[in-house]
Amino acid sequence: GENVEQHPSTLSVQEGDSAVIKCTYSDSASNYFPWYKQELGKRPQLIIDIRSNVGEKKDQRIAVTLNKTAKHFSLHITETQPEDSAVYFCAASYNNNDMRFGAGTRLTVKP
Amino acid sequence: DVKVTQSSRYLVKRTGEKVFLECVQDMDHENMFWYRQDPGLGLRLIYFSYDVKMKEKGDIPEGYSVSREKKERFSLILESASTNQTSMYLCASSFFQGRTEAFFGQGTRLTVV
């Protein structure tokens, strides 16, 4: 099955700085790559996703890039705010079946 | 508004008990998933199902089984609970194709004593 690795496990930035979280996957058949945000005590929620026919996708302050050749994808958050503090998970799957997640990144944004 | 509902928020069970965790979704999703969440290990896939009566093993199926008799309901069964199954369990559901966002339940914190 798919194996997803995520780095770093913790990330601390100053408010206004950018944050980057990186993931690699093992199965070249994977074609769907979502990112989830989990705030303390809450359920994970989708923040952005990308499909394998696209190299980059943006939504306001967040963006995701995908390098299919290298089998890695990254989440970029610009102008970070304290409310961005959470655990972020990347995932990979083939057509949304069999979805595997990374181990998560705890992002702390210091005011 | 999509709802994925897990039957219990907190459960305490004894070692050796048979435990049932229930998950119900109201969006007619084909896919349903059970994950286990432990600190530092992320969300690990236990089982998933893409149709009624269909099930596929994930990465950590040992000690667990599942049941999907109806499309909206996916049950996780711990055949004989052990202390190393103490964890947060999350259910999720999604469409098989098209819009593929997975929606999660609120989680069940299971403690096995």
Side-chain angles (χ1 to χ4, degrees):
Chain A
E2 175 65 271
N3 182 49
V4 178
E5 295 192 357
Q6 182 173 347
H7 300 281
S9 56
T10 60
L11 180 59
S12 181
V13 300
Q14 287 295 135
E15 183 176 359
D17 287 352
S18 294
V20 180
I21 302 170
K22 299 182 178 182
C23 289
T24 60
Y25 62 99
S26 61
D27 189 349
S28 57
S30 290
N31 61 0
Y32 177 62
F33 307 93
W35 285 88
Y36 284 79
K37 176 183 180 182
Q38 187 178 30
E39 296 176 348
L40 191 62
K42 296 190 176 180
R43 67 192 78 188
Q45 291 194 300
L46 181 75
I47 55 170
I48 195 167
D49 56 10
I50 192 168
R51 296 195 175 276
S52 58
N53 58 348
V54 175
E56 184 176 2
K57 184 177 178 180
K58 287 184 181 179
D59 183 3
Q60 299 183 341
R61 295 187 297 109
I62 59 173
V64 57
T65 59
L66 171 66
N67 183 326
K68 283 179 57 180
T69 304
K71 289 190 281 190
H72 66 71
F73 56 113
S74 300
L75 178 71
H76 303 253
I77 306 174
T78 59
E79 301 172 22
T80 53
Q81 301 167 3
E83 52 264 38
D84 294 329
S85 295
V87 178
Y88 292 81
F89 293 99
C90 61
S93 70
Y94 176 70
N95 287 343
N96 205 40
N97 300 322
D98 204 9
M99 187 173 296
R100 259 50 172 207
F101 284 81
T105 296
R106 182 174 298 280
L107 174 65
T108 303
V109 180
K110 300 180 206 173
Chain B
D1 200 23
V2 175
K3 281 195 170 55
V4 180
T5 304
Q6 295 180 227
S7 53
S8 303
R9 190 79 173 95
Y10 299 95
L11 271 181
V12 179
K13 296 292 182 180
R14 295 195 178 279
T15 302
E17 275 193 82
K18 190 169 186 176
V19 181
F20 293 85
L21 303 184
E22 307 284 346
C23 177
V24 177
Q25 50 93 5
D26 66 356
M27 277 299 291
D28 203 33
H29 286 163
E30 295 89 0
N31 293 340
M32 295 191 76
F33 309 84
W34 274 107
Y35 292 92
R36 173 177 169 162
Q37 183 172 18
D38 299 289
L41 298 177
L43 300 166
R44 292 183 291 168
L45 182 63
I46 305 172
Y47 271 96
F48 71 100
S49 168
Y50 54 88
D51 201 353
V52 175
K53 296 193 185 296
M54 304 302 291
K55 60 184 179 183
E56 296 286 343
K57 292 181 180 178
D59 293 324
I60 52 166
E62 297 79 16
Y64 304 94
S65 62
V66 290
S67 172
R68 192 156 181 210
E69 296 296 319
K70 294 185 177 182
K71 190 175 185 179
E72 67 270 19
R73 187 180 297 269
F74 193 35
S75 302
L76 179 69
I77 304 153
L78 285 66
E79 298 292 342
S80 177
S82 64
T83 55
N84 63 11
Q85 292 179 309
T86 292
S87 187
M88 172 67 84
Y89 291 87
L90 286 165
C91 172
S93 70
S94 70
F95 287 116
F96 184 76
Q97 56 187 2
R99 188 178 180 193
T100 48
E101 175 180 357
F103 293 87
F104 282 84
Q106 78 277 25
T108 296
R109 170 74 65 185
L110 173 67
T111 302
V112 183
V113 298

